[in-house]
Amino acid sequence: GDVAATTSDANASASNNVRGITFGGRVYSSGTIDYSIEYVTIASTGNAIDFGDLSITTGTTANKARHRQGNGMSGSSTRGLASGGYTPAALSNVIQYVTIASTSNSTDFGDMSAATDELGFMSSNTRAVIAGGSGGSSSFRNTMEYVTIASTGNVTDFGDMTVAKAFLMGASSSTKGFILGGYTGSAAVNTIETITFSTTGDATDFGDLSAVSRSGSANASSHAAVQNE
């Protein structure tokens, strides 16, 4: 099926085993921002259906409407999270969430430590980890922060990636998160890093992609992770 005609790229996403959700985006032809949240029922085919809207869209936190390319999925089987983002007004540090089983506008969850976009997202059913990103211009971050999905609140420090980067791809199993590729400000990279959700700490080297890659998407099951250009 199709998403709504006004949304073409720079979305964020979340899912459980019933619904897949997209948050916001950019109308590529005009560069304008879309604040809508849409969903599909995974077991059936068909066009996306309106879920609600991103609720925090004005002021200095005019935010999550534009989730940059392929950031990965964040949330649990119950909640979907949208973190950070960019509009023509400002970067954002706000985290918003929806309850996947019911349609509604998003609700404020808490804040990241800094206004950031071009992030990578990973999550188990308990924790959501937000990795890297750009704070504007050439300001790239190596930090990883997490929230406990079942509760609301601001982020807690998780650890650091091996290098500061944005435009990275996140993928998750039930126990591990994977950070694939990205852009350091001077070059795209082919590295794969991993974390274990149940413990905090710095990311460790897992291996390499077959080629340098940025701004793609990635998915994982409990058995394997797949990166898509």
Side-chain angles (χ1 to χ4, degrees):
D2 296 322
V3 296
T6 55
T7 304
S8 57
D9 77 346
N11 323 74
S13 58
S15 67
N16 60 14
N17 63 346
V18 178
R19 285 179 169 176
I21 296 175
T22 62
F23 298 94
R26 175 184 62 171
V27 183
Y28 188 80
S29 59
S30 64
T32 56
I33 299 303
D34 180 13
Y35 298 103
S36 64
I37 306 170
E38 300 178 315
Y39 77 96
V40 295
T41 301
I42 298 170
S44 61
T45 59
N47 294 339
I49 299 170
D50 181 62
F51 188 98
D53 293 315
L54 291 160
S55 60
I56 304 172
T57 58
T58 58
T60 57
T61 57
N63 48 57
K64 275 139 313 301
R66 182 172 173 181
H67 279 281
R68 303 273 192 148
Q69 301 90 301
N71 290 328
M73 297 183 181
S74 183
S76 66
S77 59
T78 305
R79 285 180 169 180
L81 275 60
S83 308
Y86 175 79
T87 73
L91 293 174
S92 170
N93 70 336
V94 178
I95 304 169
Q96 301 181 48
Y97 77 95
V98 296
T99 300
I100 298 173
S102 58
T103 58
S104 69
N105 295 340
S106 64
T107 301
D108 184 63
F109 186 99
D111 294 331
M112 301 187 299
S113 63
T116 314
D117 71 348
E118 316 292 9
L119 303 150
F121 301 122
M122 302 163 283
S123 60
S124 67
N125 209 41
T126 304
R127 284 180 170 176
V129 178
I130 304 163
S134 169
S137 300
S138 58
S139 173
F140 292 87
R141 307 182 74 204
N142 73 334
T143 55
M144 295 183 292
E145 302 171 331
Y146 78 94
V147 294
T148 301
I149 299 169
S151 62
T152 57
N154 296 338
V155 296
T156 300
D157 181 63
F158 189 95
D160 293 329
M161 299 186 296
T162 58
V163 65
K165 54 189 172 182
F167 301 94
L168 56 155
M169 295 153 277
S172 309
S173 73
S174 59
T175 57
K176 286 187 173 184
F178 299 91
I179 301 162
L180 301 97
Y183 180 69
T184 64
S186 59
V189 296
N190 69 338
T191 55
I192 305 170
E193 303 176 57
T194 187
I195 60 169
T196 301
F197 289 117
S198 60
T199 59
T200 57
D202 295 342
T204 58
D205 182 67
F206 185 89
D208 294 325
L209 299 168
S210 60
V212 296
S213 184
R214 51 170 281 183
S215 303
S217 61
N219 302 279
S221 68
S222 58
H223 303 290
V226 179
Q227 176 264 337
N228 311 291
E229 292 281 352

